[in-house]
Amino acid sequence: MTILGIGIDILHLPRMRQVLARHPERFVTRILTKPELQEFHAIREKAGQTNDDDAPVRYLGVRWALKEASYKAMYPHHKLTWQDVTVVKQGGKPCLCIPEKERFGIGNTHASVSHDGEYLIGQVLFESP
């Protein structure tokens, strides 16, 4: 295994809540891919029914942190955009879907997220093909 890049990002969740309150639709359509956006709307609707305001914020926070970490892992060789990376869950674990990863020279991808109180951290590791 040859490591292509490692990236990490930490997020203070109250900051994400503030941004979401100020620019809800503009913000989510900018950082989420279409499948993520559909999932976010379902989570937000369910949260409204159960009074769980934290679920949409955590959902966005995980995607923000992993996408930022992905950008950092590839910079300065490539500048991944928000739309280049989709975060999916497989067996409860976050996984990165990068449709054009061959174009960026990315082989296997690894992602990890941890939450503690008001903070969330996301880390990614990219292997060369």
Side-chain angles (χ1 to χ4, degrees):
M1 169 181 83
T2 302
I3 296 174
L4 178 64
I6 300 172
I8 191 166
D9 192 64
I10 188 166
L11 175 69
H12 190 225
L13 289 168
R15 180 174 170 252
M16 179 64 63
R17 184 182 311 282
Q18 290 172 349
V19 172
L20 186 57
R22 281 194 315 261
H23 310 289
E25 282 309 305
R26 189 176 82 190
F27 180 68
V28 297
T29 56
R30 190 176 119 226
I31 70 163
L32 298 178
T33 61
K34 286 180 184 175
E36 291 170 325
L37 193 57
Q38 291 173 339
E39 190 173 14
F40 172 77
H41 286 305
I43 288 169
R44 188 168 61 180
E45 183 176 320
K46 183 178 178 185
Q49 296 169 355
T50 61
N51 293 327
D52 181 10
D53 293 345
D54 290 337
V57 173
R58 280 192 311 270
Y59 182 87
L60 283 174
V62 166
R63 274 121 196 103
W64 175 278
L66 289 176
K67 290 179 183 207
E68 274 287 309
S70 296
Y71 178 88
K72 292 172 183 177
M74 292 304 295
Y75 186 82
H77 304 294
H78 296 287
K79 295 179 182 178
L80 296 177
T81 69
W82 301 111
Q83 300 299 313
D84 289 331
V85 180
T86 299
V87 179
V88 296
K89 269 182 136 176
Q90 292 181 347
K93 181 177 173 23
C95 295
L96 303 176
C97 177
I98 305 172
E100 297 186 52
K101 68 181 193 175
E102 291 81 19
R103 181 172 72 97
F104 298 118
I106 300 171
N108 291 328
T109 64
H110 307 273
S112 182
V113 175
S114 183
H115 308 256
D116 188 13
E118 294 185 332
Y119 290 91
L120 180 147
I121 190 168
Q123 184 173 13
V124 302
L125 183 143
F126 293 153
E127 295 179 32
S128 294

